[in-house]
Amino acid sequence: MEHDDPAEALTELRERRPSRLELLQVAAGSGLAVYGVWALLLQPGFRRVPLRLQVPYVGASARQVEHVLSLLRGRPGKTVDLGSGDGRIVLAAHRCGLRPAVGYELNPWLVGLARLRAWRAGCVGSVRFHREDLWKVSLRDCHNVSVFLAPSVLRLLEDKLQAELPAGARVVSGRFPLPTWQPVAVVGEGLDRVWAYDIHRGGPAGQAVPGPGSASVLGTPSSQTG
Ligand SMILES: C[S@@+](CC[C@H](N)C(=O)[O-])C[C@H]1O[C@@H](n2cnc3c(N)ncnc32)[C@H](O)[C@@H]1O
């Protein structure tokens, strides 16, 4: 319908209900936009990773980071975050004296963001962020390992950690526990909970037993230390 009066046209437009086709177009447009963001920002780097091993980015909460550090603070040797996201755990580890601190991350946008954050924090030469597949990284010289990954990949990760980590290494897992290992300490509640596991030479497959100085709660996996 033609209108000479713009006010009348506007009123009609306001009162008009969208047709089904228009609603469908809006839904399809929104779906495409979401897919575009996912494909552009989250998917790069994962093309060669099998679907079952793909873990999306979710940043650790401030409290979760605190708990990770409380379980690693003061430990010597190289600290790594497997799937380091925007670098928050690596940067916090560096700040509390865990050096060298290194992040491995597949998503190039997140690697870039982590490097930018390191630059802004003035520690660009001291922390490192590698764009690498965590499943292909050798962990033989890593003494402190932080992971915050999906439960679906943690069983497989146990095998890798067990095969590669040196005796005395500690693994901390945020939000989800390693499925078959016994933790030596557990800190925090709910989504912020973090589990610690110590690797011992000659121990039974993947079974963590308390190391010197560890807050040992062996045999009581759900015990709290904080
Ligand atoms: C849940 S997020 C945790 C991010 C960060 N560690 C933190 O705590 O804030 C998991 C991260 O692992 C990364 N990731 C998943 N699979 C990976 C792989 N095969 N190699 C390297 N990074 C991976 C994802 O891109 C994502 O950034």
Side-chain angles (χ1 to χ4, degrees):
M1 193 188 295
E2 293 290 323
H3 291 281
D4 291 335
D5 181 359
E8 206 180 304
L10 196 63
T11 310
E12 188 187 318
L13 205 62
R14 279 200 190 119
E15 285 170 0
R16 194 168 73 84
R17 289 176 153 224
S19 70
R20 276 190 180 184
L21 183 66
E22 284 167 332
L23 284 176
L24 203 68
Q25 282 169 342
V26 170
S30 314
L32 265 178
V34 169
Y35 174 77
V37 170
W38 178 76
L40 200 69
L41 298 181
L42 301 177
Q43 181 62 9
F46 282 98
R47 286 191 189 94
R48 283 192 221 124
V49 177
L51 199 61
R52 73 193 169 88
L53 294 183
Q54 291 187 11
V55 180
Y57 172 68
V58 180
S61 66
R63 197 144 264 211
Q64 191 179 333
V65 176
E66 246 173 60
H67 294 152
V68 167
L69 296 181
S70 75
L71 291 165
L72 294 180
R73 192 171 277 115
R75 289 177 52 84
K78 181 174 168 183
T79 299
V80 295
D81 186 20
L82 300 178
S84 49
D86 67 357
R88 62 187 70 186
I89 288 183
V90 173
L91 290 171
H94 173 81
R95 268 188 225 112
C96 89
L98 292 162
R99 298 176 188 182
V102 180
Y104 295 102
E105 169 60 56
L106 261 187
N107 185 319
W109 298 103
L110 291 171
V111 173
L113 183 58
R115 287 177 181 159
L116 182 70
R117 295 185 72 191
W119 175 73
R120 282 176 52 190
C123 51
V124 81
S126 333
V127 295
R128 277 173 290 142
F129 293 101
H130 299 288
R131 189 185 159 193
E132 274 187 59
D133 185 347
L134 67 89
W135 299 104
K136 297 183 182 160
V137 167
S138 167
L139 304 176
R140 294 192 188 282
D141 62 345
C142 300
H143 290 87
N144 306 308
V145 178
S146 163
V147 294
F148 170 21
L149 295 168
S152 53
V153 306
L154 292 179
R155 179 65 196 87
L156 198 62
L157 189 69
E158 282 181 343
D159 292 343
K160 178 175 172 64
L161 296 169
Q162 184 196 314
E164 297 179 16
L165 286 177
R170 172 168 285 191
V171 179
V172 292
S173 182
R175 199 160 301 182
F176 307 107
L178 297 183
T180 72
W181 290 14
Q182 290 288 314
V184 292
V186 187
V187 181
E189 286 294 337
L191 296 180
D192 302 323
R193 188 173 275 194
V194 178
W195 290 256
Y197 307 85
D198 286 346
I199 306 292
H200 278 253
R201 195 188 314 265
Q207 291 301 298
V209 291
S214 65
S216 170
V217 289
L218 185 68
T220 52
S222 58
S223 300
Q224 294 288 124
T225 61

